């Protein structure tokens, strides 16, 4: 529940259509009354998006414009769907279906399966990891627990991106996936997994969507029956839609356009699961007549918190950054964010615990305080610091450190080595306690260098590395300590955490904090190597890390603390520096970098159908089809080219090179990466279409109105064969 819900600006509305609109701000009111045609709501953090869309549905129902049973509202979590249903009931709009994509699809699949296929729907498996393990055994491939999780994640990604086993290797390479095993081996496991499901007559979570899509595609009578039931669609968190979910939505819609989508490209943080903001960003391309409403009035956070959030995005680059929303706080001023630098991680954790203890003493409820970190492996040191300070806490989205399987297994191995170490060859060459621990844990998967990637193998390694670091710190504090002493210390620490869960300070990763908020947020470990994370290499990955920090900042209502440590352990080398994302924002780091954004203000943009602006908007593409083979296009890159990647291109190679040279010169002048001018796909599309007029150029996806005004004359001149400064003539 957002802060906006509790605001006096939003009193409880009575059961009358016009009264539903009372208390809404102008942009929210526009959302609520825009009941016909495509609507895109770009909603910043804390701007009351759930309020806007629930009041939209309720107003339509109360005014008799929408029939409750004809509305389908979809979101991504059961919690969000439940909250939406509750709000709709309070607004007198009972009977509206508010479900997750999977819940809605499963309901349809269960109903239509006997008619479409015959018999009963196969059993839905709750967890696929055991099936993956069985598939690995059938292929004579050994996978440890971490690898099982990673391979399972790859199979899930493949299915939501509609990638079959034979195409996995190529698709993973194209997407830049950091795969846990050789791609050919994962493809083999994926194929075996699918065979095993068929043999056992079971389906998995992703199959629910895939099978629903297949039935709606193949059985037009069933598709029409679904479309007759649902006339109006609302999609929340649209930036997180996967290609498979988008395809299902298109089949639900058919040729209609009664669709309202809500999202924020700046909160796209789940791309590793197959989610993409391209569908949100391309909404006006697919629906040129859409009404676009921007919600920027932030009812959650203080002006000081909002200022930092805006500053983070002002330095962002890439496509999502072009559509950033500059928030405007509606709350009274609060304290400035606190920036703290510590000598080492234990000192940072102790500092956080002290600050929290003082806040609780001043009257702040522990349940209104959160510590947010980048990886689950960071939790242990904060768990211990809070326990030492006598502060109750709860972990969200992660197992308690000492309950993690790899930590429990490591504890058993260390206990065994402490008892019988004299007969263990692993310990023959060890000279001190840390080397003994490293030797024992090497048998559990610890290595001196971390594994590549960001999956379960990395998380497992980080848990073991935390034990290695703990041993080093313990030995530094107690030089005469033995392995038995360390085991006793570990038992003591684990024992302190065996109390039942309590309503205390929340410890959570930044990913699991999405959609939540607290009065006080402490962002910890905000240093290079952790934020952005070490394995974020590409520009796209770095920008997603920036968005992840933005999500963390915007969880805070009033008090925000940002901290980092110069070294990992006491006495360690102080070779760390604060995150680059804080440059120009924290005191003493120079002047803030500012950049104009196309989405920096709130308001309404109505779809245009005539006049000059209407002429330069894109032609209607519902659905987008390949201009060569006619296949429906769903991939954002293919939609830009208006053809399948594999279909032959009639691109003018010379023109394409001239456009690239011109782009490089423009990027150098502005100090931005090349893709901020135009992406490669957009240049390819231009070189294929060779537009001669502004209207033809605007008809190419990726040529937004702002870019048309800024670069249109140059691009059209190059297409006409004219010389442009910074572009060498082919001759």
């Amino acid at each position: 529940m957002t802060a906006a819900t509790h605001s006096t600006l939003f009193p409880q509305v009575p059961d009358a259509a016009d009264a539903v609109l009372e208390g809404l701000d102008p942009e929210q009111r526009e959302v609520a009354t825009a009941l016909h045609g495509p609507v895109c709501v770009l909603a910043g953090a804390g701007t009351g998006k759930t309020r806007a869309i629930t009041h939209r549905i309720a107003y339509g129902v109360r005014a008799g414009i929408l029939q409750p049973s004809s509305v389908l509202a979809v979101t991504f979590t059961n919690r969000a769907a439940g909250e939406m249903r509750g709000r709709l009931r309070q607004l007198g709009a009972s009977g509206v279906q508010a479900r997750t994509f999977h819940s809605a699809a499963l309901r349809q699949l269960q109903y239509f399966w006997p008619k479409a296929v015959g018999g009963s729907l196969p059993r839905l498996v709750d967890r696929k990891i055991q099936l993956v393990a069985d598939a690995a055994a059938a292929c004579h491939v050994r996978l440890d627990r971490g690898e099982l999780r990673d391979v399972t994640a790859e199979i899930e990604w493949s299915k939501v991106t509609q990638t079959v086993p034979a195409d996995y290797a190529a698709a993973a390479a194209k997407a830049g996936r950091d795969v846990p095993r050789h791609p050919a081996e994962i493809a083999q496991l994926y194929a075996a997994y699918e065979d095993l499901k068929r043999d056992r007559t079971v389906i998995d979570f992703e199959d629910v969507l895939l099978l629903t899509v297949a039935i709606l595609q193949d059985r037009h009578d069933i598709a029409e029956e679904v479309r007759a039931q649902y006339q109006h669609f609302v999609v929340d968190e649209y930036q997180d839609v996967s290609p498979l979910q988008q395809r299902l939505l298109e089949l639900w819609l058919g040729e209609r356009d009664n669709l309202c989508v809500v999202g924020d490209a700046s909160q796209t943080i789940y791309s590793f699961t197959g989610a993409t903001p391209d569908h949100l960003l391309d909404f006006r391309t697919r629906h040129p007549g859409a009404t676009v409403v921007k919600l920027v009035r932030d009812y959650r956070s203080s002006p000081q918190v909002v200022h930092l959030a805006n500053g983070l995005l002002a330095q962002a680059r890439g496509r999502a950054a072009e559509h950033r929303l500059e928030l405007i706080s509606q709350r009274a001023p609060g304290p400035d964010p606190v920036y703290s630098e510590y000598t080492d991680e234990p000192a940072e954790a102790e500092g956080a615990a002290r600050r929290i203890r003082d806040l609780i003493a001043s009257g702040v409820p522990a349940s209104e305080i959160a510590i947010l970190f980048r990886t689950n492996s960071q939790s242990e040191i904060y768990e211990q610091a809070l326990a030492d300070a006598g502060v109750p806490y709860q972990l969200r989205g992660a197992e308690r450190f000492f309950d993690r399987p790899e930590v429990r297994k490591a504890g058993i191995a260390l206990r065994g080595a402490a008892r019988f170490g004299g007969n263990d060859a692993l310990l023959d060459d060890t000279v001190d306690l840390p080397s003994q621990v490293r030797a024992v844990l090497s048998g559990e998967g610890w290595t001196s260098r971390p594994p590549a990637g960001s999956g379960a193998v990395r998380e497992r390694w980080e848990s073991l590395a935390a034990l290695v670091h703990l041993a080093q710190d313990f030995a530094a504090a107690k030089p005469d300590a033995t392995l038995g002493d360390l085991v006793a210390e570990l038992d003591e620490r684990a024992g302190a955490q065996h109390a039942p869960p309590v309503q205390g300070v929340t410890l959570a990763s930044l990913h699991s904090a999405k959609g939540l908020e607290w009065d006080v947020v402490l962002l910890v470990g905000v240093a290079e190597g952790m934020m952005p994370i070490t394995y974020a290499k590409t520009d796209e990955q770095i920008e997603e890390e920036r968005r992840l920090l933005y999500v963390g900042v915007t969880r805070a209502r009033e008090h925000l603390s940002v901290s980092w440590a110069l070294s990992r352990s006491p006495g360690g080398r102080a070779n760390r520096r604060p995150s680059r994302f804080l440059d120009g924002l924290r005191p003493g780091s120079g002047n803030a970098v500012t950049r104009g954004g196309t989405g920096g203000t709130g308001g309404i943009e109505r779809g245009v159908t005539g006049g000059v602006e209407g002429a330069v908007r894109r032609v209607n593409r519902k659905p987008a089809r390949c201009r060569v083979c006619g296949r429906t296009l769903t991939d954002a890159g293919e939609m830009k080219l208006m053809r399948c990647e594999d279909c032959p291109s009639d691109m003018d190679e010379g023109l394409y090179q001239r456009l690239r040279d011109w782009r490089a010169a423009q990027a150098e002048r502005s100090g931005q990466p090349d893709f901020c001018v135009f992406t490669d796909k957009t240049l390819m599309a231009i070189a294929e279409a060779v537009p001669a007029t502004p209207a033809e150029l605007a008809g190419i996806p990726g040529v937004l109105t702002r870019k048309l005004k800024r670069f249109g004359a140059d691009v059209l001149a190059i297409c006409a064969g004219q010389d442009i400064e910074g572009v060498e003539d082919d001759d």
Side-chain angles (χ1 to χ4, degrees), residues 517-589:
E517 60 187 71
W518 297 269
D519 285 344
V520 181
V521 169
L522 287 79
L523 296 173
V524 299
V526 189
E528 285 292 305
M530 194 59 74
M531 181 56 68
I533 199 75
T534 307
Y535 47 77
K537 302 294 185 185
T538 67
D539 290 340
E540 291 83 359
Q541 290 169 339
I542 295 293
E543 287 305 317
E544 182 150 341
E545 292 289 299
R546 186 194 305 276
R547 294 194 296 271
L548 190 57
L549 182 58
Y550 171 80
V551 167
V553 167
T554 55
R555 300 310 94 194
R557 295 192 190 106
E558 185 172 6
H559 297 275
L560 178 65
S561 172
V562 183
S563 65
W564 59 90
L566 298 178
S567 67
R568 184 195 57 76
S569 56
R573 221 174 134 190
N575 57 356
R576 293 180 177 176
R577 61 175 295 266
S579 169
R580 70 191 76 172
F581 299 146
L582 300 178
D583 290 349
L585 300 174
R586 61 184 177 85
S589 62

